[in-house]
Amino acid sequence: MKEKSVKPESIAAQALGWVDDATRGIAPPIHTSTTFIRDADNQYRSGRIYARDNNPTFDQAEAVLTALEGGNASLLFASGMAAATAVFLSLAPGDHVLAPKVMYWSLRNWLATFATQWGLRVEFIDMTDIDAVRRALQPGSTRLAWLETPANPLWSISDIESICALAHSAGALVAVDSTAATPVLTRPLDLGADLVMHSATKYLNGHSDVIAGTLTTREDSAQWQRVKSLRAQLGGVLGPFEAWLLTRGMRTLFPRVRTACASARAIAEHFTGHPRILEVLYPGLPGCAGHDVAARQMRGGFGGMLSIRLRSGGTESGEAAAIAAAAHVELWKRATSLGGVESLLEHRASIEGAGTPVPADLLRLSVGIEDTGDLIADLENALASAY
Ligand SMILES: Cc1ncc(COP(=O)(O)O)c(C=O)c1O
């Protein structure tokens, strides 16, 4: 496939038009071999030695993602956490890094505990506030600004382009957790970012049956080579079957994400002003903070994720109402995670625990590809039964 002459939708649907040389099959094989033959003259001309460093089943998923993100190269990891932590571990103890106050909770915990004990100087700031970013950057000392946009679970928006300009002038790299946006809606590298990370467990795979993570780089830098060797040395690699499933999942990325976006927007609009809802958090709503930046940097939709905050009613607190509403859904599934074809709902504060910045009355909704009317009716029913 001539990558430059076709749209990303076509690249994804045909996984770059790859055809198996040996069989002419249009679905790729799964390479299970952990080791590869050395040539008789002691060379490794195949370019492969051992599958922890370079499993052939990774190639197609990495190439498709590189094309969709407009990058130079990608790496698969065994999880989103393995991908994200590899970026931080490629820095040196003593380095200063900026991270958002509102971000994926487990990574925030890891940064506040392990990474800090290891010696990174981690500063959590409001990444939606460009002046806060300007004030926090320490030229020559800040090595990395980590963004997540839209950010879990308040779906706040960071301005990638403006932050990249500031960070680069201070000598810092910018990495973006683009899990919720996907390459369908945002291409952070085009906006100046150096690295893009995905929990491929979510939209990229899309079927709630693979744990995986990815990184894509804008250029082949010394930093990228450190990340690459860390993957092999820490050993956090994906199995070949999961890599194969991920390639298959990405073929339907565009229609899945577009369906989820349209439905999430309709659900957000439907529940705005609802008597039982205190607030709907969705960057696609003109009234939501970050909407203007989102409208500029996201193309074709605002994502399939939203959160709702429940009003207290009678003797019920908003928290009790949220937990009761979650108990009454039938079509929505009460489960953590996001980005699958089935709609999930979660009382987020319960899973994040003590110290969470998430309001106790908040339910996080991951909108799948079911009928929008069915999803709205099920939520309406759950809200009516909650008080
Ligand atoms: C935004 C975001 N980043 C990173 C992760 C971590 O990914 P994984 O669960 O694949 O390790 C998650 C998981 O929920 C996430 O939602």
Side-chain angles (χ1 to χ4, degrees):
M1 177 180 282
K2 289 202 183 71
E3 222 181 283
K4 296 251 169 340
S5 64
V6 296
K7 298 272 191 296
E9 287 85 339
S10 307
I11 290 175
Q14 294 197 5
L16 278 167
W18 188 91
V19 174
D20 181 32
D21 277 343
T23 63
R24 310 306 289 152
I26 60 168
I30 301 174
H31 293 278
T32 55
S33 186
T34 54
T35 192
F36 302 89
I37 297 285
R38 187 189 276 274
D39 299 333
D41 63 357
N42 215 30
Q43 305 296 305
Y44 262 116
R45 286 189 192 77
S46 71
R48 300 190 197 275
I49 300 174
Y50 189 53
R52 195 177 66 230
D53 304 57
N54 36 41
N55 187 307
T57 315
F58 292 5
D59 294 359
Q60 197 174 4
E62 291 178 346
V64 171
L65 190 62
T66 301
L68 295 182
E69 289 289 5
N72 174 277
S74 298
L75 289 170
L76 299 191
F77 287 81
S79 67
M81 279 297 284
T85 53
V87 174
F88 290 99
L89 292 173
S90 72
L91 303 174
D95 284 347
H96 179 241
V97 301
L98 300 179
K101 279 187 181 152
V102 175
M103 65 184 292
Y104 173 57
W105 184 242
S106 288
L107 183 58
R108 188 186 194 284
N109 270 350
W110 182 84
L111 286 170
T113 54
F114 181 93
T116 302
Q117 286 154 16
W118 181 65
L120 280 185
R121 291 187 295 124
V122 185
E123 193 174 337
F124 293 101
I125 61 165
D126 180 357
M127 280 289 176
T128 68
D129 177 354
I130 201 75
D131 290 326
V133 179
R134 188 180 289 110
R135 282 195 302 275
L137 280 164
Q138 301 172 8
S141 172
T142 308
R143 291 290 316 284
L144 178 76
W146 181 270
L147 318 185
E148 181 181 324
T149 183
N152 217 331
L154 307 182
W155 314 113
S156 44
I157 300 290
S158 307
D159 182 338
I160 299 173
E161 199 163 19
S162 304
I163 293 175
C164 286
L166 283 177
H168 289 160
S169 66
L173 297 172
V174 177
V176 180
D177 180 342
S178 198
T179 298
T182 81
V184 177
L185 307 175
T186 308
R187 297 216 316 179
L189 304 180
D190 291 349
L191 299 169
D194 303 281
L195 289 170
V196 183
M197 175 254 155
H198 290 280
S199 166
T201 312
K202 320 298 183 199
Y203 290 99
L204 293 185
N205 180 63
H207 293 76
S208 307
D209 54 11
V210 169
I211 297 276
T214 66
L215 292 173
T216 303
T217 185
R218 191 147 57 91
E219 53 190 52
D220 186 6
S221 58
Q223 175 74 23
W224 179 249
Q225 288 306 322
R226 268 199 302 280
V227 170
K228 196 170 176 178
S229 59
L230 262 173
R231 181 181 72 166
Q233 287 157 16
L234 295 175
V237 292
L238 204 61
F241 182 55
E242 285 74 17
W244 184 91
L245 276 175
L246 178 56
T247 302
R248 189 172 77 164
M250 283 194 288
R251 288 176 181 247
T252 55
L253 177 68
F254 280 78
R256 282 189 287 103
V257 168
R258 287 190 176 139
T259 302
C261 280
S263 212
R265 187 178 193 144
I267 293 168
E269 285 167 357
H270 177 91
F271 287 102
T272 298
H274 189 285
R276 300 233 149 127
I277 303 283
L278 184 65
E279 193 180 9
V280 177
L281 302 168
Y282 184 63
L285 294 173
C288 269
H291 173 73
D292 294 346
V293 177
R296 222 181 323 118
Q297 81 186 10
M298 300 180 83
R299 297 156 312 169
F302 296 91
M305 297 301 303
L306 68 145
S307 293
I308 53 176
R309 296 185 59 196
L310 273 75
R311 284 189 193 284
S312 52
T315 54
E316 296 269 59
S317 64
E319 177 179 13
I323 293 170
H328 284 93
V329 289
E330 287 180 5
L331 184 60
W332 294 80
K333 297 292 172 270
R334 264 184 316 283
T336 197
S337 200
L338 59 102
V341 288
E342 60 288 298
S343 293
L344 305 181
L345 162 156
E346 181 175 44
H347 180 247
R348 196 62 201 162
S350 294
I351 196 147
E352 296 197 0
T356 174
V358 177
D361 54 17
L362 181 142
L363 291 177
R364 186 180 81 174
L365 312 183
S366 170
V367 180
I369 62 169
E370 304 92 335
D371 177 74
T372 311
D374 287 349
L375 291 172
I376 289 176
D378 192 41
L379 261 186
E380 280 284 10
N381 189 45
L383 288 173
S385 312
Y387 295 85

